[in-house]
DNA sequence: ACCTGAACACCGTTCAAGT
DNA sequence: ACCTGAACACCGTTCAAGT
């Protein structure tokens, strides 16, 4: 327990509530019952305290969520990085995707803070560095990184939504069901694809990432 | 007022509440005060009724939101479509982006229902059709559409988040501020970019879309 | 069929007070 | 400095009853 020499604190009252315990409780609730189950009151009960005591350790609910996320970036071991810049970008992007797929509830939080957890920065570094090695300018490389990140994020959001929908027995019918006959003329492709539509929605993320990365790298000043 | 011959309804009580008025009220609230201000109670007050009366016309709050979205797809005139499949995809994707940028609050709702508003389907049709014309197989074309859509979605989410952050005076400091000296070795690129980082975050959506589309079309079996 | 009132089971957060 | 209790100002939704 030598995690940073406690700096002699005695003035004031001894702390009853451990910030670590608060975060741990929050993480447990989320893991077991989903983000929607997380409330300040619920966390307080879990740690045997009152809702308001928590506000002494975290600014608000958002900050608690952000703290809960920290460390999730280590859930998977870092993948070995290939030589070629192109493959390196694809590998890291796929890793980012795999990492976040395990904790889909962070997506809501992430949007407020970007992926700037200290443990996650190596991914941005690696992608940007590889993009430059692949021939992009600095600004282009940053834009490429953001494009990849936005795509990964969008993919994950819809992935999670699809799973939620699948779990929900009486979900609203969507697209193919709502096509009428008059639509057929205006929407021939969609009409033709209607019965195969559902099965076609899933793609291989690495395949799509590869296409995106190739497109981005094709902008290199050659 | 000949919008679909009222089908002689008399049995039961005459309706006091107009479904159209409910949706209109919801839209007004959202436009003026943001999605977060929308509540069933608030809408009820606006139309001079009780919260529970609303449940007679919409299944739940989600459905009300979805209804509010319908029609937003017509906010912008359809752009003229270029000849080349590639340019057609880019044009339509950019239109999709521009459309949704005006109503960022729909993003939350959209994830539950996909972009399947009747008025929005022509965009999917057009992109998929163009992708096939560009040489992709049917399934590839659908995947390309989804990839574009996920990217556009992710981009919009972060765009909205950045604006919210900019509006909030005391927002938490993120990435460049949190870099320490020891990070410099592990994260040389990010360190070097740190002071130019903020200014580099904005990209031209059409430029990035072009790269993505080119990447996707490069998968055509030639 | 359509609408109401009361109630259930919650929220996040502020504020004044206690130790 | 740290924690508590009560309160504020809300939520979405169910349920039983009214017209």
């Amino acid at each position: 327990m030598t995690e940073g020499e406690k700096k002699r604190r005695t003035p004031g009252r001894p702390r009853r509530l451990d910030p670590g315990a608060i975060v741990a409780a929050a993480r447990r609730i989320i893991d077991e019952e989903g983000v929607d189950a997380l409330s300040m009151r619920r966390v307080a009960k879990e740690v045997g305290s009152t809702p308001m005591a928590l506000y002494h350790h975290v600014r608000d609910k958002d900050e608690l969520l952000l703290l809960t996320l920290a460390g999730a970036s280590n859930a998977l071991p870092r993948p070995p990085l290939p030589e070629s810049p192109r493959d390196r970008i694809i590998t890291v992007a796929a890793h980012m995707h795999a990492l976040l797929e395990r904790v889909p509830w962070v997506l809501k939080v992430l949007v407020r803070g970007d992926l700037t957890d200290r443990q996650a920065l190596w991914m941005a570094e690696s992608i940007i560095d590889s993009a430059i090695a692949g021939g992009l300018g600095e600004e282009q490389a940053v834009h490429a990184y953001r494009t990849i990140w936005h795509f990964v994020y969008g993919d994950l959001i819809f992935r999670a939504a699809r799973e939620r929908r699948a779990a929900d027995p009486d979900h609203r019918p969507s697209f193919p069901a709502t096509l009428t006959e008059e639509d057929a003329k205006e929407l021939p492709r969609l009409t033709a694809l209607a019965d195969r539509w559902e099965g076609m929605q899933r793609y291989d993320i690495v395949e799509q990432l590869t296409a995106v990365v190739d497109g981005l790298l094709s902008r290199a000043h050659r």
Side-chain angles (χ1 to χ4, degrees), chain A residues 110-148:
Chain A
L110 229 48
V111 82
R112 303 190 196 271
D114 242 339
L115 229 193
T116 55
D117 177 23
R118 177 63 192 80
Q119 311 299 332
L121 286 180
W122 71 270
M123 295 186 275
E125 170 80 17
S126 184
I127 289 177
I128 292 172
D129 185 61
S130 303
I132 293 173
L136 297 190
E138 281 189 324
E139 180 150 29
Q140 275 184 314
V142 173
H143 292 172
Y145 165 66
R146 291 214 70 85
T147 298
I148 291 167

Side-chain angles (χ1 to χ4, degrees), chain A residues 17 22 39-45 47-58:
Chain A
L17 222 45
I22 296 176
S39 75
M40 298 305 268
R41 294 169 134 94
R42 181 66 204 286
V43 173
K45 197 185 289 179
V47 297
S49 178
T50 64
M52 285 325 299
L54 304 181
Y55 282 88
H56 218 268
H57 300 94
V58 298

